[in-house]
Amino acid sequence: NAGVTQTPKFRILKIGQSMTLQCTQDMNHNYMYWYRQDPGMGLKLIYYSVGAGITDKGEVPNGYNVSRSTTEDFPLRLELAAPSQTSVYFCASTEVPNTEAFFGQGTRLTVV
Amino acid sequence: EDQVTQSPEALRLQEGESSSLNCSYTVSGLRGLFWYRQDPGKGPEFLFTLYSAGEEKEKERLKATLTKKESFLHITAPKPEDSATYLCAVQAVANSNSGYALNFGKGTSLLVTP
């Protein structure tokens, strides 16, 4: 029972490069979320999805894009990496609203 | 605007020394208050959900309580393995336009020494 799986675990990007953070869950959850966690700060919502084909912006969406073509996968795309995007990124899913969220192990991204 | 404030930022306890972590919140219609534990380099791990004032939940040495303005996470006779960052998060009625995403506090870093 894998839960929520994120890849890669670590990545260093140069300014202006692009990358996709992968997230997949095997619990058939409709709701999926991307958060970023900066030192000394609470997790901030980047994007969320309430089902396949439906995505929307969260609190800090600038510089990111998402897609949700299947229930299982919710990749996060960085098009032009900037130092401000240095952070730890967490993907999460819930079966229904107002229930426990399952988090992945995180992706630590450094932009230099 | 919804706000979640956790205190203290950091707490150091001796093994067996009980204490409490605080989470105060201001939201427009609370749907649920969540406690998570986060170990270094890992994702948050669910502990409890509380839905209404007066509710309490327990798990091993941890007990979570909820009032209309705050929640406490009581740790009884902690052990070194309880060392972690404890995150509080709320889900508000107003969050319905964000897929009911969680609004997190900054966390309390707990260190329990032998």
Side-chain angles (χ1 to χ4, degrees):
Chain A
N1 191 357
V4 178
T5 303
Q6 291 182 237
T7 57
K9 286 187 171 53
F10 303 94
R11 184 73 185 269
I12 298 175
L13 277 184
K14 293 184 178 179
I15 294 172
Q17 286 186 323
S18 301
M19 78 164 293
T20 299
L21 283 66
Q22 301 291 345
C23 174
T24 187
Q25 52 93 7
D26 62 359
M27 297 171 283
N28 202 36
H29 287 172
N30 281 323
Y31 292 77
M32 295 189 74
Y33 310 87
W34 275 105
Y35 293 90
R36 60 177 286 172
Q37 186 176 40
D38 299 309
M41 302 296 291
L43 282 81
K44 300 294 184 185
L45 181 68
I46 306 171
Y47 269 94
Y48 69 96
S49 170
V50 300
I54 306 170
T55 63
D56 208 343
K57 298 177 180 179
E59 185 180 359
V60 289
N62 291 344
Y64 307 95
N65 272 301
V66 294
S67 59
R68 184 94 182 271
S69 56
T70 67
T71 299
E72 294 77 20
D73 300 309
F74 190 39
L76 178 71
R77 178 84 178 160
L78 283 70
E79 290 294 347
L80 292 170
S84 61
Q85 294 176 305
T86 293
S87 188
V88 182
Y89 293 85
F90 289 101
C91 178
S93 73
T94 63
E95 182 179 13
V96 294
N98 216 24
T99 58
E100 71 173 284
F102 293 83
F103 284 82
Q105 294 292 291
T107 296
R108 182 175 294 274
L109 175 67
T110 302
V111 182
V112 297
Chain B
E1 183 179 327
D2 298 344
Q3 284 196 337
V4 181
T5 304
Q6 292 188 245
S7 61
E9 290 186 8
L11 182 63
R12 184 182 180 122
L13 299 173
Q14 288 269 336
E15 184 172 3
E17 179 186 2
S18 302
S19 188
S20 297
L21 312 182
N22 178 263
C23 172
S24 62
Y25 63 92
T26 306
V27 295
S28 50
L30 180 71
R31 290 178 55 91
L33 185 141
F34 297 75
W35 282 98
Y36 286 83
R37 169 190 171 127
Q38 186 174 24
D39 293 299
K42 300 287 181 67
E45 180 183 343
F46 173 78
L47 292 173
F48 303 108
T49 309
L50 301 167
Y51 293 104
S52 57
E55 189 174 359
E56 299 182 352
K57 288 194 177 172
E58 286 188 70
K59 179 180 179 181
E60 295 181 0
R61 295 177 293 282
L62 300 177
K63 179 180 177 180
T65 62
L66 181 65
T67 72
K68 289 186 177 180
K69 294 183 178 180
E70 58 192 350
S71 176
F72 290 94
L73 184 65
H74 306 278
I75 304 176
T76 302
K79 297 182 178 181
E81 52 262 42
D82 294 322
S83 297
T85 295
Y86 290 85
L87 304 175
C88 173
V90 299
Q91 193 175 77
V93 171
N95 287 3
S96 60
N97 60 353
S98 64
Y100 300 99
L102 296 170
N103 187 353
F104 281 88
K106 295 180 180 180
T108 293
S109 177
L110 174 66
L111 176 65
V112 182
T113 57

